[in-house]
Amino acid sequence: MEKLIDFLQYVRNNHAESVAKQSLKDCREMEVPILKLFTHIPDEVLIAQSVKGIHDFVDSLVDGTYEQKQLDNLKLWEEDKLPGITKDSISPTDLVLIYLIQKKGYFSLIPEYTKDVQLAIDIVLAMENLHLSSQNRAINLMFNLRKQSEAQLELANKELEAFSYSVSHDLRAPLRAIHGFTRILLEDYVSKLDDDAQQMMKSVINNTEKMGQLIDDLLAFSRLGKKELQITKINMNEMAQSALDEVRRVEPSPKTNVVIHPLAPVSADRNLLFQVLANLMSNAIKYSGKKDNPVVEVSSAEKDGEIIYCVRDNGVGFNMKYYDKLFGVFQRLHSNAEFEGTGIGLALVKRIITRHGGNIWAEAEPDRGASFYFSLKK
């Protein structure tokens, strides 16, 4: 281990940035899927993080904390607490590729470090043993965490079923009563209510309708995990036009110019993918609606055996520093006073795309629009 540490300290002190740059280049050439999670991050940031990782790696070997830090990181990953990365977005293939690429970067510097063949062999073997031991511990940890997660998931599913039943029955009844009696007051006793009272009655009606929509969205989100996918081949041009017609039927937006470019067909669940397109197009129209010349574009491109669809607008956009909140339930980047919404739509979209084995991401700038991308296997 001492020989390996001496070599890695040499790499850290003299070649950390070159190893980081080469690793990023190799990751791109080997088309490591995890890089799709970081398409919005500049190369210099990724390289700086990689350099920091090299320093942390060597320091943890020196102070003897390497294995514990590896286990701590695995726990964070297993619990979906690593920013920008979830266990669903990393496959074992990703991890193997990244390991091979990192090893290649380090080992390429051995001839520069020493001409002693036996020392070179010792360094290679020490590195292999280090990774093998940490992988064995990782497998045991992940196995135990998965067993705990499965038990917790079973309990959570039962609680979710009870919650869904309660929402769909116990909450709807009083909500309907509030809505109905308020409407009766407004219609039958209008002559006895002054303007302020009438305005308050209308506000009650509007808020009960919003709460009803929120309940519907929550139920849709909670039931999605159980819904079995019905995969069929889809003409995406026809579906995008149907989704646009539906959006405009619910929320007319005559001044928004929506351009649907030729879209590649795909195999997916028709009803769920319709929800994705309708939601993304509705958002694009809504958030660009205050512009003088609002434009929404829907397009697609093929890359690496996948089809990437894009819904782009020239609206208010958002600050990318809040990106981690974008696809969370009840997370909104604009106030309800600016744009109405329940804060569930994008979480639902992400869940649908994830269930199809795809990815979803976004790019935006304040006041310069936003682009939402989702990829599906060709």
Side-chain angles (χ1 to χ4, degrees):
M1 182 61 76
E2 288 181 7
K3 295 176 183 178
L4 175 62
I5 290 174
D6 288 342
F7 167 63
L8 291 174
Q9 285 178 323
Y10 163 78
V11 174
R12 178 189 65 183
N13 296 334
N14 299 280
H15 299 285
E17 188 169 345
S18 64
V19 169
K21 288 179 178 178
Q22 187 62 41
S23 294
L24 181 59
K25 181 175 178 290
D26 291 341
C27 277
R28 290 212 168 99
E29 288 178 356
M30 294 181 73
E31 298 176 352
V32 178
I34 192 176
L35 280 185
K36 292 177 184 175
L37 294 172
F38 307 107
T39 52
H40 62 288
I41 299 177
D43 280 6
E44 56 267 24
V45 175
L46 291 174
I47 291 168
Q49 285 296 316
S50 184
V51 169
K52 182 180 181 299
I54 292 171
H55 281 257
D56 291 345
F57 171 41
V58 179
D59 290 343
S60 67
L61 284 179
V62 172
D63 62 24
T65 60
Y66 171 75
E67 290 182 353
Q68 186 57 48
K69 286 182 177 177
Q70 289 290 91
L71 292 177
D72 291 342
N73 283 336
L74 277 166
K75 286 179 182 177
L76 289 174
W77 174 59
E78 186 68 20
E79 295 165 4
D80 280 352
K81 289 181 180 176
L82 285 178
I85 302 175
T86 67
K87 59 187 176 185
D88 293 330
S89 60
I90 304 179
S91 69
T93 306
D94 282 346
L95 298 175
V96 171
L97 283 175
I98 290 169
Y99 162 63
L100 291 174
I101 289 165
Q102 288 174 334
K103 186 174 71 172
K104 175 184 172 186
Y106 290 122
F107 288 174
S108 66
L109 293 165
I110 291 178
E112 194 172 322
Y113 173 71
T114 180
K115 304 299 181 186
D116 184 335
V117 175
Q118 186 57 51
L119 177 58
I121 292 172
D122 290 344
I123 289 170
V124 170
L125 291 175
M127 179 76 90
E128 295 290 4
N129 287 333
L130 175 70
H131 280 282
L132 186 61
S133 64
S134 63
Q135 283 175 359
N136 286 337
R137 285 178 172 81
I139 289 169
N140 290 331
L141 173 68
M142 290 171 66
F143 178 73
N144 291 331
L145 286 171
R146 284 290 168 92
K147 285 182 70 176
Q148 294 172 18
S149 297
E150 286 170 6
Q152 292 169 355
L153 183 62
E154 186 177 354
L155 178 61
N157 281 335
K158 290 179 180 177
E159 290 174 346
L160 187 59
E161 287 178 12
F163 167 76
S164 297
Y165 180 86
S166 176
V167 166
S168 58
H169 292 81
D170 300 341
L171 289 184
R172 284 187 183 279
L175 195 63
R176 280 195 297 266
I178 293 169
H179 186 278
F181 286 125
T182 306
R183 187 170 290 281
I184 290 171
L185 281 172
L186 193 57
E187 291 175 355
D188 294 354
Y189 296 89
V190 65
S191 61
K192 298 181 180 180
L193 299 172
D194 59 22
D195 290 344
D196 286 344
Q198 290 181 41
Q199 200 60 42
M200 283 188 277
M201 294 295 104
K202 290 176 182 177
S203 179
V204 171
I205 290 172
N206 287 337
N207 279 284
T208 53
E209 289 173 352
K210 286 179 185 176
M211 189 172 179
Q213 183 61 53
L214 181 60
I215 289 172
D216 290 340
D217 290 348
L218 273 173
L219 286 173
F221 185 77
S222 67
R223 289 169 178 163
L224 184 58
K226 298 180 184 179
K227 182 177 172 62
E228 187 175 340
L229 299 181
Q230 304 293 326
I231 304 298
T232 59
K233 190 166 184 179
I234 299 170
N235 182 322
M236 290 293 283
N237 290 293
E238 292 179 0
M239 176 171 283
Q241 187 59 55
S242 297
L244 176 60
D245 293 342
E246 175 66 16
V247 169
R248 283 191 156 150
R249 184 184 67 79
V250 177
E251 302 174 25
S253 52
K255 75 172 187 173
T256 303
N257 180 24
V258 180
V259 180
I260 300 176
H261 298 284
L263 303 175
V266 74
S267 293
D269 186 295
R270 183 176 298 275
N271 292 332
L272 294 181
L273 202 56
F274 182 90
Q275 276 187 276
V276 169
L277 281 175
N279 190 296
L280 293 179
M281 293 169 77
S282 174
N283 279 357
I285 290 171
K286 175 169 66 175
Y287 290 114
S288 62
K290 294 183 179 180
K291 291 284 184 177
D292 292 333
N293 297 297
V295 177
V296 174
E297 292 185 78
V298 185
S299 60
S300 71
E302 295 186 26
K303 184 180 180 182
D304 304 333
E306 292 185 324
I307 304 171
I308 300 172
Y309 297 94
C310 175
V311 179
R312 178 181 289 110
D313 66 71
N314 64 341
V316 296
F318 58 86
N319 193 322
M320 289 293 285
K321 74 178 182 180
Y322 302 116
Y323 183 84
D324 59 330
K325 295 183 177 181
L326 195 60
F327 297 101
V329 178
F330 298 134
Q331 298 287 349
R332 303 199 65 213
L333 303 188
H334 300 280
S335 69
N336 208 54
E338 293 177 288
F339 300 97
E340 290 189 353
T342 60
I344 297 176
L346 287 178
L348 188 65
V349 165
K350 181 178 181 180
R351 200 165 192 181
I352 291 172
I353 296 301
T354 301
R355 283 213 62 201
H356 280 80
N359 288 308
I360 183 166
W361 65 98
E363 297 171 354
E365 288 184 55
D367 297 319
R368 299 191 65 179
S371 301
F372 281 83
Y373 302 87
F374 64 91
S375 63
L376 297 170
K377 295 198 185 305
K378 186 176 177 183

